[in-house]
Amino acid sequence: MSTPDRLPLLVIAGATASGKSALAMALARRMPVELISADSAQVYRGMDIGTAKPSALEQQQVRHHLLDVCDPADPYSAARFAVDATRAISEVRARCHLPVLVGGTLLYLKALLGGLSRLPSSSPALRATLQAEADERGVAAMHAELATRDAETAERLHPNDWQRIQRALEIVRLTGQPASQAYRVPVPAPDLGPVCRVAVMVADRSVLHQRIEQRFHQMMEAGLLAEVEALFRRGDLHDALPSIRSVGYRQLWATLAADVALPVAVGQGIAATRQLAKRQLTWLRNEPGWQPLHGDLARQLDEVARSLKTLGRCPE
């Protein structure tokens, strides 16, 4: 049998609503595993429905990690995730369980599996300055400024993606160099032991779109608007925070701020989720080292089992 530190790390990625969590839970019924979330919204407490966070029953059935680790007012970074996930992987292996990383936050996956670029830490003072400028001039003007100083990054970012525009401008002002240049500096990958990377794929894009729409409506019926309203009424949160900018939350936040009618916000939330899924699938198809999983759940389980065997025996 493999020693604990050589047990494989299984990474299950895929587009939102593709069935990643269902596969992970099904795997847990076959062997002793513990699940580690790689979702940038599930880390926040009080954000359950809109993040499709595992239910209380599912968390009782299988041990989960990196859920509810911080308050929505406290931004959680990819760097922090890499540290927390690495520690969780070691703890799971020490119990002779299979660590299974599940999620679709691409930056988190990059940070853990490929290492982080050596970029400057966030500057609260500079971020406050940039936020004040954005409030005065508008996000579109800040995006235009970025285009003059880092055209490559500006072209890649949506003109309304203030969170990433702000970070790119922060890097430029702190280092005098464009973020696109900094991200190209090679970074040594961390030693995570044997890793099996699988990506749940949905062959028919229209099927995925239907799932996304259906799930969003189910979230609304389950109380998503009330969940967002509870955050909105706290008074210490705002729509520039990474937590509130999560897909679904930022659209309903606009409704509560009386900026957008609810039916419009729901449509925008569905559209934004589909756009997210498109980015996730594009990245997974272009990134080397990922094994695509097709077919139904039974076939996916069999493919995962075969892949794990090539890396070493897992606990039974």
Side-chain angles (χ1 to χ4, degrees):
M1 180 176 177
S2 300
T3 58
D5 63 332
R6 301 313 293 174
L7 283 171
L9 165 64
L10 174 63
V11 184
I12 302 176
T16 183
S18 62
K20 302 183 297 295
S21 297
L23 174 58
M25 290 299 294
L27 188 68
R29 290 190 284 271
R30 285 193 172 189
M31 63 180 68
V33 308
E34 296 183 31
L35 307 183
I36 304 168
S37 171
D39 186 295
S40 61
Q42 290 184 354
V43 297
Y44 296 112
R45 292 186 290 272
M47 296 175 58
D48 304 330
I49 299 172
T51 66
K53 193 174 293 178
S55 67
L57 178 59
E58 289 171 328
Q59 293 186 50
Q60 289 175 1
Q61 294 172 336
V62 184
R63 189 168 184 171
H64 287 70
H65 301 264
L66 304 191
L67 302 176
D68 301 324
V69 298
C70 64
D71 187 85
D74 302 320
Y76 189 88
S77 68
R80 180 177 171 185
F81 167 78
V83 172
D84 291 349
T86 300
R87 180 174 61 249
I89 291 166
S90 297
E91 293 172 354
V92 174
R93 281 173 166 160
R95 289 188 283 272
C96 293
H97 289 174
L98 179 73
V100 180
L101 188 75
V102 187
T105 299
L106 306 183
L107 184 58
Y108 282 16
L109 295 174
K110 291 179 185 178
L112 179 66
L113 301 175
L116 284 168
S117 302
R118 294 185 176 88
L119 298 174
S121 300
S122 176
S123 167
L126 178 54
R127 289 217 161 183
T129 298
L130 289 167
Q131 184 62 56
E133 292 180 20
D135 292 340
E136 179 180 352
R137 300 165 53 198
V139 173
M142 303 301 286
H143 183 264
E145 177 186 332
L146 179 62
T148 66
R149 308 187 70 174
D150 185 354
E152 182 179 333
T153 300
E155 183 178 357
R156 180 173 55 82
L157 298 181
H158 190 281
N160 293 331
D161 191 350
W162 171 235
Q163 181 183 347
R164 292 180 174 83
I165 293 170
Q166 183 185 46
R167 177 55 175 161
L169 285 170
E170 181 182 41
I171 293 171
V172 170
R173 295 193 187 183
L174 286 173
T175 68
Q177 297 180 335
S180 54
Q181 178 178 331
Y183 280 116
R184 280 196 289 269
V185 177
V187 178
D191 182 10
L192 297 173
V195 179
C196 176
R197 310 183 193 192
V198 298
V200 179
M201 309 300 285
V202 179
D204 190 337
R205 186 70 60 88
S206 65
V207 171
L208 181 60
H209 285 182
Q210 290 172 3
R211 288 185 190 174
I212 288 171
E213 181 173 1
Q214 181 180 20
R215 188 173 75 164
F216 200 95
H217 286 300
Q218 289 172 341
M219 289 176 173
M220 292 297 295
E221 293 172 1
L224 178 56
L225 182 60
E227 181 173 271
V228 178
E229 186 174 12
L231 300 170
F232 186 85
R233 294 191 180 281
R234 279 180 40 167
D236 63 332
L237 304 176
H238 52 83
D239 59 6
L241 287 167
S243 56
I244 306 305
R245 291 199 61 77
S246 299
V247 169
Y249 288 86
R250 67 174 181 264
Q251 288 79 21
L252 295 183
W253 191 277
T255 287
L256 296 170
D259 293 333
V260 179
L262 180 57
V264 175
V266 170
Q268 291 175 341
I270 293 170
T273 308
R274 288 173 173 171
Q275 291 167 2
L276 171 62
K278 181 180 179 180
R279 292 194 299 272
Q280 292 167 322
L281 288 171
T282 299
W283 184 78
L284 287 168
R285 288 193 179 102
N286 295 334
E287 191 75 7
W290 290 91
Q291 174 191 346
L293 298 180
H294 299 284
D296 60 15
L297 185 58
R299 178 180 171 185
Q300 293 172 4
L301 284 168
D302 289 341
E303 290 186 22
V304 169
R306 284 194 294 269
S307 297
L308 288 173
K309 287 179 180 179
T310 66
L311 294 177
R313 183 181 174 189
C314 295
E316 299 177 354

